[in-house]
């Protein structure tokens, strides 16, 4: 079964051809990093215009590299949401038209579920139940996955996503965009014990994440210690390196600490750590330590598959295709899509006003 995957939810235009949900025949990613760099973050209007320019050549290149012609594909899978509406619409409209023209099934994929499937290629098959930590620029969610395709959200961020916190700290210090890799690079030369930050506890006792207070604490530290943002070609001071190391260690300890705590409760057979922040070596090492301690395997995607890509969308799409979950012709982009279809969170709790204790 050969599926063409298309991803355009944020600032990467991507297409991939995947066989049987596990073998990548091609995976093309056209990144818009250079386009958004001067603004220090993604500009939605620019992103959708660039997707329009890139979608056709990216899909063609994916088919060319896979040596597959359009009539040979069995289905088209596309990211339906969540993401930026203008960006999503480009991929969804393109995929819909392609599938309709070819008379092939179309599958709408939840982007977050796509990240879960990013570990499907270079690891042994996932053993269920699993616990999946999806950490990216837009999301920080921990799912209990009792069986393939079932998700219970057991922890989520109440404010900023982990990647967003990395990006904002990098912006404060003028380290460049995206911030994650820049902060990680400087943290390598810093001492994580020098500058310590505390994490807030959430007053309703849920094991959720919160990174906005940490970002404010870093900003306060920068101000109170007279740290100047880096100028072009300036070497970062030891203080900035220590600050990056302290911040990174706090984020990692929150993510992995919560995963460990919930693993003790849910007894998973596999841990999954995916999403852009899963590129972070400190996070990988901490998750590996936890996995060894618990005697449970941990799977990561390779770096190419950690950030947004279409191979993961094709893999998730293959699963739904096998179950006959084909999109209607009326399907459209949906920025509000959630990934939760098992023991739904109580509405009351979801809407509860949150108080933090620092
Ligand atoms: O999954 P992704 O490509 O896009 C979203 O769906 O958001 O993730 C991008 C995020 C950015 O916030 C970026 O700063 C972060 O992943 N990131 C990292 C690293 N590489 C990328 N964060 C920490 N350490 C890294 N090495
Ligand atoms: Zn993503």
């Amino acid at each position: 079964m050969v599926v063409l995957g298309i991803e355009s939810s944020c600032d990467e235009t991507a297409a991939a051809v995947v066989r049987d949900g596990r073998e990548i025949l091609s995976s093309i990613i056209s990144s818009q990093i250079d386009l958004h760099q001067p603004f220090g973050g993604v500009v939605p209007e620019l992103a959708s215009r660039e997707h329009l320019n890139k979608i056709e050549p990216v899909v063609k290149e994916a088919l060319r590299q896979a040596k597959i012609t359009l009539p040979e594909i069995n289905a088209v899978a596309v990211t339906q949401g969540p993401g930026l509406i203008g960006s999503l619409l480009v991929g969804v409209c393109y995929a819909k038209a392609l599938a309709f023209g070819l008379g092939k099934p179309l599958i709408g994929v939840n982007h977050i579920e796509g990240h879960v499937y990013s570990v499907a290629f270079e690891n042994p098959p996932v053993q269920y139940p699993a616990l999946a930590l999806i950490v990216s620029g837009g999301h920080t969610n921990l799912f209990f996955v009792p069986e393939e395709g079932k998700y219970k959200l057991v922890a989520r961020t109440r404010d900023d996503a982990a990647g967003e916190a990395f990006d904002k700290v990098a912006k404060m210090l003028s380290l460049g965009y995206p911030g994650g890799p820049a902060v990680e690079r400087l943290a390598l030369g810093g001492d994580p014990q020098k500058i310590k930050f505390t994490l807030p506890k959430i007053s309703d006792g849920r094991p959720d994440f919160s990174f906005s207070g940490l970002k404010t604490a870093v900003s306060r530290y920068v101000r109170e210690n007279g740290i100047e943002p880096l100028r072009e070609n300036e070497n970062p001071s030891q203080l900035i390196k220590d600050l990056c190391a302290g911040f990174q260690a706090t984020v990692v300890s929150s993510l992995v600490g919560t995963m460990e705590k919930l693993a003790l409760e849910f007894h998973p057979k596999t841990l999954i750590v995916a999403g852009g922040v899963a590129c972070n070596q400190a996070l990988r090492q901490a998750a590996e330590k936890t996995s060894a301690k618990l005697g449970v395997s941990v799977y990561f995607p390779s770096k190419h598959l950690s950030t947004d890509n279409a191979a993961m969308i094709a893999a998730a799409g293959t699963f739904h295709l096998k179950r006959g979950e084909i999109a209607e012709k009326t399907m459209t982009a949906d920025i509000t899509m959630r990934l939760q279809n098992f023991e739904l969170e109580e509405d009351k709790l979801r809407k509860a006003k949150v108080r933090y204790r620092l």
Side-chain angles (χ1 to χ4, degrees):
M1 194 177 282
V2 176
V3 172
L4 170 69
I6 295 178
E7 153 67 37
S8 71
S9 65
C10 189
D11 60 343
E12 265 102 17
T13 323
V17 181
V18 168
R19 179 174 286 141
D20 298 330
R22 282 189 64 80
E23 190 194 342
I24 299 180
L25 302 184
S26 67
S27 174
I28 308 295
I29 303 174
S30 168
S31 166
Q32 302 180 357
I33 284 184
D34 294 346
L35 181 70
H36 301 289
Q37 207 147 30
F39 306 97
V42 178
V43 183
E45 182 61 27
L46 294 181
S48 29
R49 283 167 193 266
E50 187 64 4
H51 284 307
L52 270 178
N53 293 334
K54 291 287 158 60
I55 189 106
E56 176 96 356
V58 164
V59 169
K60 282 196 168 148
E61 183 59 14
L63 291 164
R64 194 190 66 79
Q65 284 195 15
K67 299 190 177 66
I68 290 278
T69 60
L70 278 175
E72 288 174 298
I73 60 168
N74 296 98
V76 181
V78 65
T79 303
Q80 188 182 356
L84 301 169
I85 186 65
S87 292
L88 286 166
L89 275 170
V90 175
V92 167
C93 292
Y94 188 91
K96 253 170 109 167
L98 191 62
F100 185 66
L102 292 168
K104 308 268 178 181
L106 173 74
I107 301 127
V109 174
N110 182 313
H111 180 81
I112 318 279
E113 187 176 33
H115 276 297
V116 175
Y117 276 84
S118 65
V119 299
F121 304 102
E122 301 132 319
N123 296 288
V126 171
Q127 299 277 307
Y128 297 94
L131 206 53
L133 176 66
I134 309 301
V135 261
S136 71
H139 319 278
T140 301
N141 293 321
L142 187 64
F143 296 98
F144 174 56
V145 193
E147 60 184 78
E148 188 169 12
K150 290 220 165 116
Y151 303 93
K152 176 184 166 70
L153 184 64
V154 290
R156 64 194 159 101
T157 181
R158 296 288 184 107
D159 39 59
D160 294 352
E164 193 181 350
F166 270 94
D167 293 337
K168 286 179 177 167
V169 164
K171 200 168 179 178
M172 261 176 234
L173 300 167
S174 291
L175 304 182
Y177 165 85
V183 171
E184 177 173 22
R185 220 168 20 249
L186 294 193
L188 274 176
D191 178 353
Q193 305 295 328
K194 277 267 168 67
I195 307 168
K196 295 214 166 167
F197 296 104
T198 47
L199 278 165
K201 283 208 166 40
I202 287 167
S203 61
D204 60 20
R206 288 189 33 108
D208 285 347
F209 308 105
S210 164
F211 297 111
S212 137
L214 174 61
K215 176 192 67 191
T216 311
V218 173
S219 143
R220 197 183 315 127
Y221 190 92
V222 166
R223 211 173 43 246
E224 287 172 0
N225 291 273
I227 299 176
E228 293 284 336
L230 269 197
R231 279 181 288 270
E232 231 180 304
N233 301 323
E234 186 188 5
N235 282 330
S237 64
Q238 191 55 43
L239 191 58
I240 286 188
K241 291 180 185 169
D242 291 341
L243 184 61
C244 287
F247 161 77
Q248 177 176 274
T250 313
V251 175
V252 167
S253 125
S254 162
L255 294 172
V256 177
T258 303
M259 191 167 72
E260 183 171 328
K261 198 169 127 203
L262 289 169
L264 292 171
E265 192 179 318
F266 287 96
H267 306 290
K269 290 189 181 144
T270 312
L271 301 175
I272 294 170
V273 181
V277 183
C279 290
N280 189 283
Q281 259 334 98
L283 175 63
R284 287 184 180 224
Q285 281 161 8
E288 264 159 10
K289 224 164 133 184
T290 291
S291 105
K293 195 163 130 194
L294 300 174
V296 177
S297 342
V298 61
Y299 296 169
F300 306 98
S302 62
K303 285 203 175 180
H304 172 84
L305 295 169
S306 294
T307 47
D308 290 347
N309 65 86
M312 66 183 195
I313 303 301
T318 304
F319 168 70
H320 291 290
L321 178 66
K322 281 193 207 145
R323 298 217 305 193
E325 290 162 359
I326 312 297
E328 300 282 333
K329 293 214 169 54
T330 50
M331 183 272 251
T332 191
D334 180 3
I335 58 167
T336 66
M337 262 177 127
R338 296 282 173 270
L339 188 61
Q340 165 114 289
N341 53 11
F342 177 75
E343 289 181 3
L344 294 185
E345 193 178 12
E346 280 172 52
D347 220 31
K348 197 173 80 216
L349 230 172
R350 202 156 43 78
K351 290 186 186 143
K353 210 166 165 51
V354 189
R355 283 196 202 86
Y356 305 101
R357 278 199 307 263
L358 279 161

